[in-house]
Amino acid sequence: MLKQIVAVTAINLKSIPRRFWLSLSTVVAVALVVMVLLSFLAMSAGFRRTLASSGAADVAIVLRAGARAELNSVIARDQVRLLEDAPGVARDAQGKPLASAELYLVVDGIKKTTGTKANLPLRGIGESGAAIRKGIRLTEGRMFAPGSNEVVVGKSLLREFQGFELGRTVKFGTALWTVVGVFEADGSVFESEIWADLPVVQSLFNRPNTFQILRARLSGPDGLAAMKAFNDGDPRLKLDVKSEQDYFSEQSSQTSDLIQKLGWPLAIAMAFGAMAGALNTMYSSVASRSVEIATLRAIGFGGFPAFVGTLVESLLLAGIGGVIGAVATWLIFDGFSASTLGASFTQVVFSFRLTPALIGQGVALALIVGLIGGLLPAIRAARMPIVQGLQG
C-alpha cells in the first residue's frame, strides 16, 4: 500500500507542468489570502508591541475614576499635591517626589504620505516627566527650556509627519512653537508624542489648575499597593491607580483586537475563493489523469493511493502558495512604518511586526485551504469506475 501511495503521488506531482497555468492560479490565490491575513496580524502585533513596550511595572498611572484614556481624565491640582506625598512614591536625592502631573492635548499634524490632517498628542510634562520614563534619549538638539514656547518631538512622529524637523516653527492653537529637540524611547508610544513645558501648555491652552494624568515612580514592589490604599482611604481622591504596564496593556488590546477582527473575516472570505480555485484545479487534475488512474486500478492499485496522491498534490500547491505569501509579506511589510488612531484619538506611530508564530498561522491557513479544496476531488479519484476512466 505504501509503495502504491508513493508511486501514485509521484505520477500526480510529475503531471503538474501539464496544468501549469491552472496550478499557478491556485498558488497565487492562496498566496494572496496569506498575505492579507499576515499583513493584518503583523499590523496588530506591531501596534501591540509598541504600546506594550511603553509601560513600566515600577511606574504608577493615576486617572480620573472611570476614565479609560488620558483625554477624558481630569485631576485637580490639590489632588496632585496629595498624591505626590502618598506612600509608595519614590523620591530623588533631594527628597523631591519622582512624579509628573501632565496635560494631554490634541493638535493638528500633516501626514507625509497623504498630505492629510491627523490628530497628534501634545503633552505638557513637568521637570521629572522624561526621567520617570524608561529609555528616553535625545538624538538631536536639546530639551525644551522651562517657561519657553519650545517643544521636543518623538523620532517616530518626525518620520511620519511633516513640519517637525529640528529648528522648524509650528503653530498649535494661537501660539508658535519651536522644535528644539528630537528624542527616542526604545520604539514605545512616547515616540509618537510632542512634549512641551507643562506651565506653558496650561497657560496657552487655558488649563491653569487641571491635569489629566499623574505618573509616579514607585519606591519598591509594594509601592503600587501602598499608593492604591492611600488613594482609596482619602475621600478627596477616589481616583484610578494602576501600573503603567497594565494601563498600556489595556490600551493595546482594544485596537489590536479590532485590527484582528477586520483581518480574519477578510482573509476567510478570500479563502473561500481560493478553495474554489483549488477545487477547480484538482478536479481538472483528476479529469486529465482519468485514464492513468483507471489503468492503475485495473492492474491492482487500490482507490486509497489515488485519494492520497490527489490530496498531497492539493496540499503541495497550497503549501507553496502559503510560503510565497509569507515571504512576500515579510519582504513588504515587516518593519513597515504606519500610524493609526490610539485610544485617545491621536495618532500612534508603529512598525509592522511579523513573527514566526504569525507566519505559522498563515501557512496553516494555506494548508487548510489545500485540504478542503482537494478533499472532494480526492474522493472522486478514489471512487472512479475503471470502465468510465478508460473511456475518458
Side-chain angles (χ1 to χ4, degrees), residues 63-70 72-74 240 242 247:
L63 298 167
R64 177 180 60 83
R68 302 189 67 181
E70 296 179 64
N72 50 23
S73 172
V74 177
D240 282 346
K242 62 185 71 176
Y247 172 74

Side-chain angles (χ1 to χ4, degrees), residues 62-66 73-87 89 214 226-241:
V62 183
L63 298 167
R64 177 180 60 83
S73 172
V74 177
I75 302 176
R77 185 179 296 275
D78 291 341
Q79 291 175 315
V80 169
R81 289 171 179 165
L82 288 170
L83 288 165
E84 287 178 340
D85 293 328
V89 177
L214 176 75
M227 197 172 177
K228 282 184 177 180
F230 178 81
N231 170 75
D232 296 341
D234 194 323
R236 294 169 295 180
L237 295 174
K238 301 302 180 184
L239 303 169
D240 282 346
V241 181

Side-chain angles (χ1 to χ4, degrees), residues 159-174:
R159 185 174 64 243
E160 289 291 317
F161 296 90
Q162 64 186 36
F164 293 99
E165 292 78 14
L166 191 65
R168 293 287 294 271
T169 299
V170 293
K171 186 176 182 180
F172 300 141
T174 58

